[in-house]
C-alpha cells in the first residue's frame, strides 16, 4: 500500500474510531476496519445527518480557557463565528463559520471529510489560514485539489488525537497521517513545525482548533 493510501487509512480509521467511542461510551469498542476497505468506505459513505447531530449533542468542549493569539481579534465578538457559537458546533462546521479559514473549509469539503470531522470525538486540528494557502503557488494548489487521495493525506497531517490545550503544546505530537509534528514555544508564541499559531485554543463541540500561518507539509 502506498503512502497516500496509508495516510487516508490512518485518517479515516482514527476519526471513525473516535466517533464510535464517543457514541458507544466506555464499555464497548468498534470492530476494526481493514485498511484496504477504508478507502472505499471513505469515498462511498459519509455519516448520516442524524449521526452528526448525535455526536454534536453528546459532545461538549473539554478545553477550558479563551482563544489565545494575535489573530484571535479577527473572530467576531458575538454571533456566527464567535468563540461562544463555535463551541456549539462540530469542527467541520466551525471551519466554515470562521472567515479566515474559508479556503481550508472548501478543501475539507472537496476531500469529502467535513462530515467525518463533524463525527469525530476529541481531536485537535491545525488549521492553515487563507493567507497560508495563498503562499502555495496556484498551480501546485490546483494540482493538489485535483487529487483527493493526496488532499486527504495532507489534511491527515494537520490532525492529532485529543483536545490539546496550550499547556499540552510541546514536544512531538503524532498526526493521523502517521508522521510527527514538532511543537515549540508557549502561549501566544506557539509554533507547529515552522508554522506560527495565529489563534489557538478555539473550542468547538468536538475538537480544538489552532489557526496557523503556513500549510504543514509532511516530512
Amino acid at each position: 500500500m502506498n503512502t497516500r493510501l496509508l495516510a487516508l487509512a490512518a485518517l479515516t480509521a482514527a476519526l471513525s474510531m473516535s466517533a464510535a467511542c464517543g457514541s458507544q461510551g466506555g464499555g464497548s469498542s468498534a470492530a476494526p476496519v481493514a485498511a484496504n476497505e477504508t478507502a472505499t468506505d471513505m469515498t462511498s459513505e459519509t455519516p448520516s445527518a442524524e449521526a452528526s447531530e448525535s455526536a454534536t449533542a453528546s459532545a461538549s468542549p473539554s478545553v477550558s480557557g479563551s482563544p489565545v493569539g494575535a489573530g484571535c481579534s479577527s473572530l467576531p465578538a458575538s454571533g456566527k463565528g464567535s468563540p461562544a457559537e463555535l463551541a456549539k458546533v462540530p469542527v467541520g462546521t466551525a471551519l466554515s463559520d470562521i472567515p479566515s479559514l474559508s479556503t481550508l473549509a472548501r478543501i475539507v469539503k472537496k476531500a469529502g471529510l467535513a462530515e467525518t470531522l463533524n463525527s469525530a470525538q476529541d481531536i485537535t486540528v491545525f488549521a492553515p489560514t487563507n493567507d497560508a494557502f495563498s503562499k502555495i503557488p496556484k498551480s501546485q494548489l490546483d494540482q493538489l485539489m485535483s487529487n483527493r487521495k493526496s488532499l486527504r493525506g495532507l489534511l491527515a497531517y494537520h490532525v492529532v488525537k485529543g483536545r490539546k490545550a496550550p499547556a499540552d503544546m510541546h514536544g512531538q505530537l503524532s498526526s493521523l497521517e502517521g508522521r510527527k509534528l514538532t511543537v515549540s514555544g508557549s502561549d501566544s508564541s506557539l509554533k507547529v513545525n515552522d508554522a506560527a499559531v495565529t489563534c489557538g485554543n478555539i473550542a468547538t463541540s468536538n475538537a480544538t482548533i489552532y489557526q496557523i500561518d503556513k500549510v504543514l507539509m509532511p516530512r
Side-chain angles (χ1 to χ4, degrees):
M1 184 179 293
N2 63 29
T3 302
R4 291 173 180 172
L5 286 179
L6 285 172
L8 170 58
L11 174 63
T12 309
L15 291 182
S16 296
M17 183 174 292
S18 177
C21 291
S23 61
Q24 292 177 3
S28 59
S29 60
V33 179
N36 62 345
E37 295 174 352
T38 304
T40 301
D41 293 343
M42 188 68 153
T43 303
S44 61
E45 297 180 9
T46 55
S48 66
E50 292 180 357
S52 296
E53 290 173 1
S54 175
T56 303
S58 62
S60 58
S62 58
V63 176
S64 60
S66 302
V68 293
C72 296
S73 60
S74 64
L75 297 175
S78 60
K80 184 177 180 180
S82 66
E85 293 302 311
L86 292 173
K88 301 175 184 178
V89 300
V91 65
T93 301
L95 296 178
S96 298
D97 290 345
I98 300 174
S100 59
L101 299 181
S102 61
T103 301
L104 176 61
R106 177 169 58 90
I107 289 174
V108 167
K109 184 177 180 180
K110 178 77 173 179
L113 292 178
E115 289 304 319
T116 302
L117 289 173
N118 278 347
S119 298
Q121 183 79 13
D122 294 336
I123 57 174
T124 294
V125 177
F126 298 110
T129 62
N130 297 341
D131 288 341
F133 280 105
S134 71
K135 297 174 183 178
I136 300 177
K138 186 178 184 303
S139 59
Q140 184 179 343
L141 185 59
D142 288 344
Q143 183 177 11
L144 180 64
M145 291 286 285
S146 67
N147 189 321
R148 178 174 280 199
K149 290 179 182 178
S150 294
L151 203 55
R152 288 178 170 180
L154 179 65
L155 292 173
Y157 190 59
H158 289 73
V159 182
V160 299
K161 292 181 181 180
R163 302 186 60 155
K164 307 299 183 184
D168 303 319
M169 297 283 285
H170 54 81
Q172 290 194 320
L173 303 176
S174 296
S175 74
L176 297 190
E177 186 265 351
R179 278 172 274 199
K180 301 289 186 179
L181 298 167
T182 300
V183 182
S184 58
S186 60
D187 298 329
S188 59
S189 61
L190 288 169
K191 295 193 73 174
V192 183
N193 291 352
D194 60 347
V197 173
T198 60
C199 180
N201 204 39
I202 304 172
T204 74
S205 66
N206 68 329
T208 301
I209 297 173
Y210 286 80
Q211 293 188 43
I212 53 178
D213 68 353
K214 291 182 181 179
V215 177
L216 304 175
M217 295 298 179
R219 57 189 183 183

